[in-house]
Amino acid sequence: VTGERPGEFDFIARLVEAVDEARRELSGDAVPGAPHGRVVVGGGDDAAVTAPAGVTATSVDAFVEGVHFRRDTAPLDAIGHKAMAAALSDLAAMGAAPGEAYVQLGIPPDFGEPEGLAVAKGLGRAAAASGAIVAGGDLTSAPVLMLAVTVVGHAASAEDLVTRSGARPGDIVAVTGELGGAAAGLLALERPDVAGLALAASGASAMIDVSDGLGGDARHVARSSQAALLIDLERVPVQPGVLEVAAAARVDHWDLVASGGEDYELLVTLPPDRLDAARSAVEATGIALSPIGEARAGGEVSLRHSDGSTRAPSGFDQLRR
Amino acid sequence: VTGERPGEFDFIARLVEAVDEARRELSGDAVPGAPHGRVVVGGGDDAAVTAPAGVTATSVDAFVEGVHFRRDTAPLDAIGHKAMAAALSDLAAMGAAPGEAYVQLGIPPDFGEPEGLAVAKGLGRAAAASGAIVAGGDLTSAPVLMLAVTVVGHAASAEDLVTRSGARPGDIVAVTGELGGAAAGLLALERPDVAGLALAASGASAMIDVSDGLGGDARHVARSSQAALLIDLERVPVQPGVLEVAAAARVDHWDLVASGGEDYELLVTLPPDRLDAARSAVEATGIALSPIGEARAGGEVSLRHSDGSTRAPSGFDQLRR
């Protein structure tokens, strides 16, 4: 960190280059700044122009130092990576193909150019891993590091997307991957999330990413779908290490599994006759799909233990983070 | 401000309602939450789904307390209004029709529900005044008030949009409205900016919003277009009161006119034979269009006084704000 702040426009150019370098590393694309098919006018103008072929799904996610992450416990490129991956998980939860990303970066007073470039590198890598193009952004001073990410995904038609409102009584409730790891402070897996596309194509009736915790996000689906979700906690796949971390920290590991946030796995409902096909399609991407319950008539969520006891479906409150 | 923070999901519902109420007030639309033609799936799911008919122009703008505004000198609804209006001015500068807006709101510790709703009201009013729909958002805690706004505009094709790169030698350089007011601390005019659409339809060759100051934004156009922009400072329209404020503050009023930012008027270049038609079209929206110079071969900007002296085209540096 130097006392002198780099000129804004040169700094932006180097941030854009860092993002593009991450894209080229992952794509093997040798041409710097090669335009993406959908992006007609890229960054550097007042707005980025794209030519969507069907419908677009747009989601925004903000990450604020001291609220969502701490700089003393996470490297800067991991912070950038996580912010982009979390935003993209909302597209996965719609079954939309990742398209463009836009980043508003708030730079704290003690940041120099190397720190900014490290964040940009992480953002660029996560975008490239999902096939998304960083098409624009905004740079500002801020009291702490802030990343506000906007992602746009694409689908041929709205019928190809999976909302939260389609769960029907009789549907199977399933979850991708394993939960509890993020709440236990374990490193989340870094992979492009194509499971959402596979699930959308396999007949998922409702889908959401488990970023607010299993209980809270199941409640979103239950309310939007006006269906009850009965989840058997012992069937929920738990990430290795969660039990050990919970024991060491003397917390109930079920709290981490059922209420911990930021796992970014997908909670999905499916007609029973679609489960096998969905499972095969998701497992072909290297990710497990575990049935954990069923949908019934109603509008509430029940998290049940095998001994018959239940647990309140509390979610992670963004405003308390 | 109460000691108790409202529950996140209820608070979001009330923020959405405040934005929608502002829309209904301005549109005379009696139906709460009436879906907009383009928005297929609105807020409340993982992503908002829209069905764009042609190309989209997307721009992001972040506003941070202590950097872009102070809460002790501006009412909260005006802060929300300004953040949305500034983001929308980037769409005006492309000649894109305002479509959807997405807001990432960072709520400071001393904010209660009334403060959040006041900001939402301002955001909603500015969006509604331009015909934009607030289609989604994200809410988080933050050390200071932060607003990160994403706006999406629409056009039938990319050829209907005006970038920064089309200025050609021989073009007239013109500016909408009057400059210097924001730098002098005067209240900016609150109106939907349809001048951009009128200019795009009238054959503008390049366009940019004057948010970084006349000199800095002219330089963006000059570099993107690889054309020199010669601007006669005495022809630049100055907002009433700027001279008086500059005299009282003992600053050179030309600094406010040429280098002050946040005016959000449009700087445009046009072939000479298009000027009259463009002027008529813009003036029909109640906004003046003043020719202030011409484009020549080259790539730099010259801000000339009538006595032959020149002024450095310095812009407003976002990172120093």
Side-chain angles (χ1 to χ4, degrees):
Chain A
V1 182
T2 65
E4 197 56 40
R5 194 64 73 81
E8 182 193 1
F9 300 118
D10 291 345
F11 186 35
I12 290 176
R14 284 189 287 274
L15 287 172
V16 169
E17 170 54 26
V19 167
D20 196 59
E21 199 179 302
R23 182 185 63 78
R24 292 200 309 277
E25 276 170 21
L26 277 167
S27 70
D29 183 351
V31 186
H36 190 262
R38 279 184 300 265
V39 180
V40 182
V41 176
D45 218 295
D46 294 292
V49 180
T50 69
V55 298
T56 60
T58 304
S59 182
V60 295
D61 250 319
F63 294 81
V64 178
E65 181 180 347
V67 181
H68 302 91
F69 62 85
R70 287 169 47 189
R71 268 196 278 160
D72 55 0
T73 57
L76 292 171
D77 60 339
I79 292 168
H81 195 289
K82 175 120 190 235
M84 180 62 71
L88 288 166
S89 83
D90 283 316
L91 296 186
M94 299 291 287
E100 299 78 47
Y102 304 86
V103 179
Q104 290 143 300
L105 195 57
I107 297 283
D110 63 337
F111 249 47
E113 185 165 317
E115 288 79 11
L117 295 180
V119 173
K121 204 84 180 169
L123 285 161
R125 281 199 187 118
S130 284
I133 292 289
V134 180
D138 187 32
L139 187 65
T140 179
S141 298
V144 298
L145 177 60
M146 316 175 334
L147 303 96
V149 181
T150 300
V151 288
V152 182
H154 299 266
S157 76
E159 289 68 41
D160 296 318
L161 296 175
V162 185
T163 66
R164 300 175 175 183
S165 60
R168 296 289 166 262
D171 282 356
I172 302 284
V173 178
V175 69
T176 63
E178 297 161 326
L179 303 188
L186 305 174
L187 201 65
L189 227 54
E190 300 196 356
R191 51 169 170 65
D193 209 331
V194 291
L197 284 168
L199 285 163
S202 306
S205 50
M207 195 151 60
I208 192 168
D209 70 330
V210 191
S211 56
D212 286 343
L214 177 63
D217 286 314
R219 198 163 46 183
H220 291 316
V221 171
R223 290 187 180 173
S224 290
S225 299
Q226 295 183 275
L229 263 56
L230 277 64
I231 294 173
D232 300 312
L233 283 168
E234 272 74 12
R235 299 169 76 189
V236 176
V238 177
Q239 199 170 322
V242 170
L243 278 170
E244 292 76 3
V245 169
R250 298 182 186 218
V251 297
D252 185 346
H253 83 277
W254 288 116
D255 282 340
L256 305 184
V257 172
S259 307
E262 307 208 350
D263 276 319
Y264 298 111
E265 295 294 345
L266 300 174
L267 176 71
V268 64
T269 63
L270 297 140
D273 61 354
R274 300 298 184 96
L275 179 62
D276 286 345
R279 215 165 182 171
S280 304
V282 172
E283 286 175 357
T285 73
I287 298 164
L289 181 70
S290 308
I292 58 171
E294 59 173 318
R296 293 213 187 142
E300 286 307 317
V301 168
S302 168
L303 302 179
R304 307 181 299 192
H305 283 292
S306 49
D307 65 4
S309 66
T310 60
R311 179 171 287 269
S314 62
F316 213 53
D317 190 327
Q318 300 280 126
L319 281 179
R320 297 228 167 74
R321 279 201 253 181
Chain B
V1 181
T2 65
E4 196 57 40
R5 195 63 74 80
E8 183 193 1
F9 300 118
D10 292 342
F11 187 33
I12 290 176
R14 284 188 288 272
L15 287 172
V16 168
E17 169 55 25
V19 167
D20 196 57
E21 198 178 304
R23 182 186 62 77
R24 292 201 308 276
E25 275 171 21
L26 276 166
S27 70
D29 183 351
V31 186
H36 190 260
R38 279 184 301 266
V39 180
V40 181
V41 177
D45 217 295
D46 294 293
V49 179
T50 68
V55 298
T56 61
T58 304
S59 183
V60 295
D61 251 318
F63 294 81
V64 179
E65 181 180 346
V67 180
H68 301 92
F69 62 85
R70 287 168 49 188
R71 268 195 277 160
D72 54 0
T73 57
L76 292 170
D77 59 339
I79 292 167
H81 194 287
K82 175 122 190 229
M84 180 63 70
L88 288 167
S89 84
D90 283 317
L91 296 186
M94 300 292 286
E100 299 77 45
Y102 305 86
V103 178
Q104 291 143 300
L105 196 56
I107 297 283
D110 63 338
F111 248 47
E113 184 165 319
E115 288 79 9
L117 294 181
V119 173
K121 204 86 181 165
L123 285 161
R125 279 197 189 122
S130 284
I133 291 290
V134 180
D138 187 31
L139 187 65
T140 179
S141 298
V144 297
L145 177 59
M146 312 176 336
L147 304 95
V149 181
T150 300
V151 288
V152 182
H154 300 266
S157 76
E159 289 68 42
D160 295 318
L161 296 175
V162 185
T163 66
R164 300 176 177 183
S165 60
R168 295 291 168 259
D171 281 356
I172 302 285
V173 178
V175 68
T176 62
E178 296 161 329
L179 303 187
L186 305 175
L187 202 65
L189 227 53
E190 301 195 356
R191 48 165 174 66
D193 208 331
V194 289
L197 284 167
L199 284 163
S202 307
S205 51
M207 196 152 60
I208 192 168
D209 69 328
V210 190
S211 56
D212 287 344
L214 177 64
D217 286 313
R219 199 163 47 183
H220 291 317
V221 171
R223 289 185 181 174
S224 291
S225 299
Q226 296 183 277
L229 262 57
L230 277 64
I231 293 173
D232 300 311
L233 282 168
E234 273 74 12
R235 297 170 76 188
V236 176
V238 177
Q239 198 171 324
V242 170
L243 278 170
E244 291 74 4
V245 170
R250 296 183 187 218
V251 297
D252 184 344
H253 82 276
W254 288 115
D255 282 341
L256 305 184
V257 173
S259 308
E262 307 207 349
D263 276 317
Y264 298 110
E265 294 295 344
L266 300 174
L267 176 71
V268 64
T269 63
L270 298 141
D273 60 355
R274 300 297 183 96
L275 179 62
D276 286 345
R279 216 165 178 169
S280 303
V282 172
E283 286 175 358
T285 73
I287 298 164
L289 180 70
S290 309
I292 58 170
E294 59 173 318
R296 294 212 184 143
E300 285 308 316
V301 168
S302 170
L303 301 179
R304 305 182 299 191
H305 283 290
S306 50
D307 65 4
S309 66
T310 60
R311 179 172 287 270
S314 62
F316 213 53
D317 189 326
Q318 301 279 126
L319 280 178
R320 299 227 165 76
R321 276 202 255 180

